[in-house]
Structure formats: C-alpha cells, structure tokens
Amino acid sequence: MNRKNPQGEVWIFAEQEDGKLQDVALELCGKARELADTLGVKVGAALPGYNVEKLAETLFEYGVDNVYLVDDPNLKRFTSQPYAYVVEKLIDKYAPQIVLYGATSLGRDLAPRVASATRSGMTADCTDLQIGDVVDAKTKETYKNLLHQIRPAFGGNIIATIINPEQWPQMATVREGVFPRQAPTPNRTGEIVREKIEIPAECLVVEALERFVEEKKVDLKGARIVVAGGAGLGSKENFKLVFDLANALGGAVGASRAAVDGGFIDRDYQVGQTGTSVRPALYVACGISGAVQHRVGMQESAKIIAINKDPEAPIFSIAHYGIVGDLNVIMPMLTKAVRERVAE
C-alpha cells in the first residue's frame, strides 16, 4: 500500500472471542484515543466476526468513533487467512495512519500477515507509543507526527524508538496490561460502518471445528499485591519462600523470566515484557535483578519493595524501598512479621 494519509484515523483491531471483547482491545482504545487526540483525527475499530454488532456499543463507550463491522458466518471462529484478508481490505479502503493490535496469540498471528499484505512496517511488543517529529540525520528532512514505537532491544540493553516514515499505515502490537484501561463513558455513541467483503474461496481452506481454552492459573492483572521471585531464589524448592510471603500478605505470586526459564515456576506467573504487565498497590521483587524486560512490566506499581543481595542490582533504581541481604534470611523474617501483625 505505502499510501500516506496524514488525516487517516487511528485504528485498533477489536479482538473478540465468542462475542466478548478481549481486555487488550479495551486497553488499546484508551491509547488510540490519546494518539488520535494528539493528531486531531478520529479513532476507528476494525471489528470482524459473526453476530458481533452489539460490541460496537462497548467500543464507543471506550473512546472509539467509528466501528468498521464485517459480519460474516465465515468469521465466526478466528482463522488466519479470512481475518487477514478482511482487515487488509478495510485498511486499503479507509487508509488509517495507525493500526494497533493486541500482542495475543491471535494478534501475533494476524498482525504480521496484514503488515505483509499492506507492505507496512510493524513493531512487536511495544511498551509505549507516542506521537512526535523526527529529523532524518542524512537528508535533514523533518517527518512530522510519526508514531514512535518504543520497546526494549538488544537483549534489553537499550530502549529503541522505531519509526516508519515511508511505509503506512504504521502498525504495532502491544501486550495485555501495558496500557491501563480507561474508564468508559456511558451512553457515548459513534458510527457503525457496515462492510460486506467477499472472502475468496482460497482463504477458506481451513475450518475451525472445535476450540479448547485452558484457564489461567493466576490473575496477576487483578491482584492488589504481587510477590515475585527471580533467579536469585536458586531453586524450585526455594520458591516456596515466595508463596509463603504472598499468602501472608494476601497477594498473588509472580516471577521473572529467569525464574520461569529456570523451571522454578510455570509461565502463567511471568511478569514482564514477555509475560503479564501489572500495576498492583504493592510489588515485592525477591531475588530479581531488574532487567529492563521485567521492569517494563511492573514499574507502574504504586509501591515497589526490592530484596536482593546485590546492592547494584538495577531493580533498586525503581524500588521505593530496598533490602540488601540474603533472601533465605530476610523472606522468612518478613513472612513471620506479617503473620504476627495480622494475628494481633
């Protein structure tokens, strides 16, 4: 496509399953509204599915102005080719300047296909999105109002800002929980744009007959207190210290990627860029060094307590309170103190 449209809308892909909007779609509505207001344009939502028109009302309340609805029995269950074809055709017709997707398993499947079909650039797993100007170092040309797609790079050693000055629309995926869900505005309205798109037979060669969903073991996003353990705990058996402290505080258990990769705990508990982003009232980081990939998933916590034997650990740079010492001594003492306080 590569068609530049400075007045194009800011779109989200309104991901839904069984007629229910996914949390990440509603979170993206708030960020899309912010970006669109900066650009002075409207917010749009691409909504493919079957019998999903009722979801438009919710999207309007969360800040969307126009819902582009494609209602087709072939879209009842997500399969890659029909959805990618439909979203591509919507983008081709309405030329949004920005399109945002959730970095879910569905979004990770869909977004690269659409980016390839439209010949657009796309940045995965962004931790922030902003609008700004960029000056080309070689040509000195100024590109105005570009989407700054911000994410850790090179193993987390730097924070990279990625731009697409020539390839439009500008696309990005964002993990669930990275942006807070904004409060809805009851009775807010918008326009439903109904589109009939004939899906070619070659896009319908795969049919989803049955779907199995494994329930999450833990709800980290909804927890007011999270106690997370890292590689510093040393073993799966030692991770019991994290469960003990979390139980005493009435909180949920989390983990760093290093702890998950080490086999200490299941991936459902992972916090960070490649796990769940959280904003609890209290986050206790135990034996977590604080690599940027972990910090971007928990640094918005209201209060952060870090426990680590290394006084130079990066986690202390964002902690409100730091404890330097041996986890095997400190964590049992904390657990005991909390339980005694609760028993009073």
Side-chain angles (χ1 to χ4, degrees), residues 53 142 179 275 284 314 318:
E53 184 172 333
T142 299
F179 299 128
V284 186
I318 62 168

Side-chain angles (χ1 to χ4, degrees), residues 55-293:
L55 300 180
E57 180 180 335
T58 301
L59 291 168
F60 294 147
E61 291 181 347
Y62 276 88
V64 172
D65 298 304
N66 297 320
V67 172
Y68 298 89
L69 173 68
V70 182
D71 199 280
D72 190 312
N74 292 310
L75 301 173
K76 183 175 182 180
R77 298 285 189 201
F78 174 81
T79 49
S80 305
Q81 289 179 294
Y83 267 70
Y85 183 85
V86 165
V87 175
E88 175 199 347
K89 293 305 177 186
L90 288 175
I91 290 173
D92 190 36
K93 181 173 181 178
Y94 293 100
Q97 59 177 304
I98 294 171
V99 182
L100 307 179
Y101 307 80
T104 60
S105 56
L106 188 156
R108 288 174 180 274
D109 185 345
L110 177 67
R113 293 174 185 270
V114 176
S116 177
T118 59
R119 297 185 180 276
S120 304
M122 191 199 74
T123 304
D125 290 339
C126 291
T127 56
D128 195 9
L129 299 168
Q130 299 174 8
I131 300 296
D133 300 340
V134 174
V135 178
D136 189 300
K138 292 182 178 180
T139 66
K140 305 303 179 183
E141 181 180 358
T142 299
Y143 296 94
K144 291 189 172 294
N145 291 332
L146 288 182
L147 178 66
H148 290 204
Q149 301 153 69
I150 301 166
R151 57 154 295 155
F154 293 101
N157 291 314
I158 64 169
I159 297 294
T161 299
I162 301 168
I163 59 170
N164 302 325
E166 302 293 344
Q167 309 294 104
W168 285 42
Q170 304 162 94
M171 295 192 185
T173 67
V174 179
R175 281 182 171 268
E176 182 179 340
V178 168
F179 299 128
R181 185 195 296 194
Q182 302 300 319
T185 302
N187 302 318
R188 186 180 182 276
T189 60
E191 181 181 356
I192 299 176
V193 181
R194 296 174 179 83
E195 286 289 334
K196 179 65 177 176
I197 297 176
E198 294 296 331
I199 302 173
E202 58 266 27
C203 290
L204 301 173
V205 294
V206 176
E207 181 182 359
L209 300 176
E210 197 170 359
R211 187 166 64 96
F212 298 92
V213 179
E214 183 178 347
E215 295 294 331
K216 287 187 176 181
K217 298 176 182 178
V218 60
D219 179 19
L220 284 169
K221 279 184 59 181
R224 294 193 70 255
I225 298 174
V226 175
V227 181
L233 284 154
S235 69
K236 183 175 182 179
E237 291 70 29
N238 227 25
F239 218 85
K240 182 178 181 297
L241 296 173
V242 177
F243 280 92
D244 289 344
L245 181 55
N247 288 336
L249 290 168
V253 170
S256 69
R257 179 173 178 173
V260 171
D261 290 347
F264 300 171
I265 196 167
D266 292 342
R267 192 164 297 277
D268 285 348
Y269 294 86
Q270 186 173 320
V271 174
Q273 184 191 10
T274 53
T276 301
S277 294
V278 297
R279 291 179 175 81
L282 173 64
Y283 189 90
V284 186
C286 310
I288 295 174
S289 63
V292 66
Q293 293 96 328

Side-chain angles (χ1 to χ4, degrees), residues 335-344:
T335 302
K336 181 181 178 183
V338 171
R339 286 174 175 165
E340 289 177 348
R341 181 69 178 266
V342 171
E344 290 180 358

